[in-house]
Amino acid sequence: MSEVTRAATHSLEAQGLTLAYDKVEVAKDLSLSIPPGRITCIVGANACGKSTLLRALSRLLKPSKGSVLLDGQSIHRLPTKTVAMHLGILPQSPIAPEGITVADLVARGRYPHQKWFRQWTKSDEQIITDAMVATQTLELATRPVDELSGGQRQRVWIAMALAQGTDLMLLDEPTTFLDLAHQVEVLDLLVELNQDEGRTIVMVLHDLNHACRYSHHLVAMREGRLVAEGTPEEVVTEALVKDVFDLRSMVMPDPVSGTPMVVPIGRHFNVNEEDGLTTAGEGIST
Amino acid sequence: MRTTPVLDTAPSTTAGRADALAIVSKARDAGRARGAAVGLVLAAGIALSFAISVSVGDFPIPLAEVVPAIFGFGSPDAHFIVQTLRLPRALTGLLVGAAFGLSGSIFQSLARNPLASPDIIGITAGASAAAVFIIVVLGGGGLLISIGSFAGALVTAVAIYFLAYRRGITAYRLVLVGIGVAAVLSSLTSYLLTRAQIWDAQRATVWLTGSLNGRGWEHVRPVGLALLLLAPLVAVLARPLKTLQLGDDAAKGLGVGVESYRRWLILAAVALAAVATASAGPVAFVAFVAPPIARRLTRTSLTLLPAALVGGLLLLVSDLVARRVFAPTELPVGIITGIVGAPYLLWLLARANRVGRGG
């Protein structure tokens, strides 16, 4: 990996964002600031606007009001290639061209650093190599991406995002379509990138428990608004889960990580309010 | 996943990093070497079929005399036949095939769909409708047909672009709208043919099949000039095109101005298809099959030069077959390329249905 631990110097914040698709408002008056050098997770129910917020933060979507500031400058006014040198985005469903090999796909992450007169250098090659080592995709270098499993493919895409060499990495649901083991593998990898290289990571996650465990900073959204923001310990309470997901739950410390763990209750089980123990709910029939 | 020893050595050590770098360099060099080898073989194939194409005919010219005759030496007879008949015909075939191959490759890569080639999504259908209109209604020929078909292709492309445009262009809508437009235009062409005099209808039908018969220098010049101007433009646009293949969001994230690059690429691809159609008619399926053949040969995901070479070779060889199989009667070359392309289209559609995606 890179020899120098990079200092997370780039700041990213949103000011008074109103976001809309085709004039249908999805989110209104959002302001937040992404803590540099930390992992931030955006959580919320389906269609709460969390992916839309991530798209706006990564300048894929132009806000109808407000602005996103990268180092204090409006991200939509900066040349897009300049932004790409500091901020990388892994969209939800990127497309691997038919027949492309892993090494060639990862190499495409170097686009913002290339110029038409300076096509490809040894240092580009070293950077994509480091990215492949970090994501354990080196042994797949010559394989076509079409032939890989879902987990392998996601690591290849993360390698491409890494090869872009940005301090800020935004990921839209990097664990969807992966089984539990591969989900944890991808999240572990992102933690390493954050700890070893000081990269700022922002991701949308579906799984609240993963978000609690794998983030320093949590942003909860509901119906296009920010409901709560802070460390998982501060943010994740039974009241918040009820508010954000409309779900009764118990929140207790995760026996492994000590972070908050959400145990959903649902309709078929009961919980004694006083001692927190389950009582005679009907359960599911056996 | 920890299967290779490389990963077990600490990658941060200099030796581990160097080993890893060697693996990646080797992988990428192998790809480049394969691309270069394929390019050379294709170029050799083109040179050979070009020479044979100039050599054979009612008045055979020995292969040994072909090259001198091309450069203006040799007997007066050979000189005349080569310079006025066979050389411009072979050159038209080569250049038209290359232009179709390049155009098809750009369209298919942009749309990320093998069906999105100019002969499927209506660009050449627009050229055909315009050409048949000129032949049947205006009674025009030669240059007028070329200009008309060029204009028809451009107008059709603009129409498809705006019909498919909704906050940007999505590949899928482009293909669907294009196929719809192609259907409308081909029924227009059929209608015009029913109104035509028999002689005009015959001329129009030959043009519609795509033919290199009687092609002269006036057909070589426009397509040659277009390639001279557009090939460098495409070369510059190749790198952004490689990121566009990853999807619009990923391309934007890599700092590519998606809409403007896409417009330039479409413009180049349409111009190439239009000028090729104007020179030789809508030769079936060259733009459609050349890029996937090139992709399978080079095993890379974006093939521009190889697709152009495959297109040129395909048209040269097809024309050779078309000229010789029922000699002295010459078939239009489009019949041969159709025989090659149609099964591939069927296979592609069958596969698309089976795997449940548009190709």
Side-chain angles (χ1 to χ4, degrees), chain A residues 52-68:
Chain A
T52 310
L53 173 60
L54 196 80
R55 286 174 59 83
L57 288 174
S58 57
R59 60 122 166 49
L60 297 184
L61 178 71
K62 207 175 168 168
S64 44
K65 265 190 216 135
S67 53
V68 174

Side-chain angles (χ1 to χ4, degrees), chain A residues 14-33:
Chain A
Q15 288 183 341
L17 289 185
T18 296
L19 307 172
Y21 287 115
D22 264 343
K23 299 197 175 134
V24 179
E25 237 170 56
V26 180
K28 203 171 172 179
D29 204 26
L30 296 175
S31 294
L32 83 159
S33 146

Side-chain angles (χ1 to χ4, degrees), chain A:
Chain A
M1 290 178 224
S2 68
E3 288 137 49
V4 191
T5 300
R6 75 185 65 221
T9 49
H10 294 285
S11 74
L12 185 66
E13 57 185 310
Q15 288 183 341
L17 289 185
T18 296
L19 307 172
Y21 287 115
D22 264 343
K23 299 197 175 134
V24 179
E25 237 170 56
V26 180
K28 203 171 172 179
D29 204 26
L30 296 175
S31 294
L32 83 159
S33 146
I34 303 296
R38 319 242 81 188
I39 301 179
T40 300
C41 278
I42 306 172
V43 296
N46 289 337
C48 70
K50 54 190 193 299
S51 283
T52 310
L53 173 60
L54 196 80
R55 286 174 59 83
L57 288 174
S58 57
R59 60 122 166 49
L60 297 184
L61 178 71
K62 207 175 168 168
S64 44
K65 265 190 216 135
S67 53
V68 174
L69 303 180
L70 176 65
D71 299 334
Q73 286 180 285
S74 169
I75 202 169
H76 281 98
R77 299 234 179 89
L78 288 166
T80 178
K81 219 166 168 177
T82 309
V83 175
M85 292 171 134
H86 306 303
L87 182 152
I89 166 86
L90 181 58
Q92 209 172 95
S93 43
I95 300 158
E98 204 178 329
I100 194 168
T101 62
V102 168
D104 283 347
L105 183 65
V106 176
R108 292 194 183 181
R110 294 304 295 160
Y111 178 83
H113 303 274
Q114 291 173 279
K115 304 195 167 57
W116 64 269
F117 53 85
R118 195 197 70 100
Q119 295 273 334
W120 188 259
T121 64
K122 216 67 193 167
S123 105
D124 288 318
E125 200 119 299
Q126 185 65 61
I127 289 164
I128 69 165
T129 306
D130 291 345
M132 290 166 73
V133 170
T135 52
Q136 296 182 13
T137 50
L138 185 62
E139 73 267 36
L140 306 173
T142 55
R143 297 267 302 276
V145 176
D146 319 321
E147 291 175 6
L148 303 182
S149 72
Q152 291 173 325
R153 206 172 303 169
Q154 193 63 348
R155 281 186 286 130
V156 170
W157 283 111
I158 292 173
M160 192 195 94
L162 273 183
Q164 201 176 331
T166 57
D167 282 342
L168 280 155
M169 284 180 74
L170 277 54
L171 303 99
D172 195 355
E173 298 200 18
T175 57
T176 12
F177 306 125
L178 300 183
D179 62 39
L180 189 56
H182 286 111
Q183 289 180 25
V184 172
E185 194 182 293
V186 164
L187 292 166
D188 280 344
L189 167 64
L190 293 173
V191 168
E192 282 152 25
L193 295 176
N194 167 256
Q195 288 181 343
D196 301 346
E197 307 185 18
R199 294 187 202 246
T200 307
I201 289 174
V202 184
M203 56 184 158
V204 169
L205 276 188
H206 234 73
D207 188 314
L208 195 50
N209 287 330
H210 284 169
C212 288
R213 207 186 243 208
Y214 290 97
S215 60
H216 304 108
H217 192 76
L218 205 70
V219 176
M221 286 182 72
R222 184 195 166 152
E223 289 168 4
R225 289 166 193 279
L226 295 191
V227 180
E229 203 186 338
T231 64
E233 286 77 7
E234 289 164 1
V235 169
V236 178
T237 60
E238 285 157 16
L240 177 109
V241 177
K242 176 78 184 135
D243 192 26
V244 169
F245 290 96
D246 198 17
L247 176 75
R248 285 198 306 148
S249 68
M250 284 176 67
V251 173
M252 55 188 70
D254 185 321
V256 175
S257 61
T259 51
M261 180 173 75
V262 179
V263 181
I265 296 172
R267 279 188 285 122
H268 299 286
F269 296 91
N270 284 320
V271 171
N272 187 321
E273 298 292 336
E274 273 163 35
D275 56 11
L277 294 174
T278 50
T279 57
E282 58 196 298
I284 56 166
S285 54
T286 49

Side-chain angles (χ1 to χ4, degrees), chain B residues 221-239:
Chain B
R221 270 181 227 112
V223 65
L225 190 66
L227 275 173
L228 215 56
L229 290 174
L230 293 170
L233 176 67
V234 173
V236 171
L237 294 171
R239 249 167 15 87

Side-chain angles (χ1 to χ4, degrees), chain B:
Chain B
M1 294 307 135
R2 294 172 197 275
T3 49
T4 63
V6 176
L7 289 176
D8 294 333
T9 63
S12 51
T13 64
T14 331
R17 270 187 107 200
D19 287 349
L21 181 64
I23 291 177
V24 173
S25 299
K26 202 176 140 201
R28 289 179 47 85
D29 287 347
R32 285 189 206 106
R34 190 182 173 92
V38 168
L40 281 177
V41 170
L42 287 172
I46 284 174
L48 184 66
S49 48
F50 194 93
I52 296 173
S53 179
V54 173
S55 152
V56 301
D58 295 341
F59 181 92
I61 296 166
L63 268 177
E65 288 173 32
V66 163
V67 176
I70 285 175
F71 291 101
F73 304 104
S75 70
D77 288 352
H79 180 263
F80 170 79
I81 285 177
V82 167
Q83 289 291 330
T84 51
L85 300 176
R86 291 189 197 155
L87 183 57
R89 177 182 189 139
L91 271 176
T92 307
L94 174 62
L95 296 175
V96 163
F100 271 133
L102 196 52
S103 173
S105 188
I106 295 170
F107 269 114
Q108 291 172 0
S109 309
L110 264 184
R112 305 163 205 124
N113 190 324
L115 286 174
S117 88
D119 38 7
I120 308 257
I121 63 165
I123 311 287
T124 54
S128 303
V132 171
F133 180 82
I134 285 166
I135 295 171
V136 170
V137 179
L138 304 183
L143 185 64
L144 199 57
I145 296 178
S146 295
I147 294 171
S149 60
F150 183 78
L154 289 187
V155 169
T156 310
V158 171
I160 294 170
Y161 188 84
F162 282 107
L163 284 172
Y165 193 92
R166 193 177 297 158
R167 290 185 297 126
I169 287 281
T170 66
Y172 200 60
R173 198 157 46 224
L174 190 73
V175 173
L176 286 183
V177 168
I179 289 175
V181 168
V184 171
L185 289 168
S186 76
S187 52
L188 181 67
T189 305
S190 304
Y191 171 76
L192 286 171
L193 284 177
T194 62
R195 316 290 299 167
Q197 303 294 322
I198 186 69
W199 168 241
D200 284 344
Q202 195 191 351
R203 237 171 18 116
T205 309
V206 169
W207 192 90
L208 282 175
T209 318
S211 169
L212 293 172
N213 291 358
R215 291 302 184 266
W217 291 104
E218 71 275 20
H219 298 99
V220 174
R221 270 181 227 112
V223 65
L225 190 66
L227 275 173
L228 215 56
L229 290 174
L230 293 170
L233 176 67
V234 173
V236 171
L237 294 171
R239 249 167 15 87
L241 178 55
K242 279 184 175 182
T243 65
L244 285 171
Q245 286 185 301
L246 307 176
D248 288 7
D249 281 356
K252 277 184 203 160
L254 286 169
V256 177
V258 168
E259 283 303 325
S260 74
Y261 276 121
R262 181 154 40 214
R263 248 175 245 146
W264 279 107
L265 282 158
I266 291 179
L267 185 73
V270 167
L272 285 166
V275 78
T277 312
S279 288
V283 186
F285 294 136
V286 176
F288 176 60
V289 298
I293 292 174
R295 215 170 43 234
R296 274 177 185 70
L297 291 175
T298 56
R299 298 208 192 118
T300 54
S301 53
L302 179 66
T303 52
L304 293 172
L305 182 62
L309 293 176
V310 170
L313 180 62
L314 185 65
L315 206 51
L316 275 176
V317 173
S318 298
D319 189 44
L320 206 52
V321 174
R323 277 166 62 198
R324 299 315 297 169
V325 70
F326 292 124
T329 309
E330 297 186 341
L331 295 174
V333 66
I335 290 177
I336 307 298
T337 58
I339 290 171
V340 176
Y344 172 65
L345 177 61
L346 289 175
W347 176 79
L348 202 62
L349 290 174
R351 192 188 68 145
N353 279 341
R354 215 166 39 242
V355 300
R357 53 178 185 158

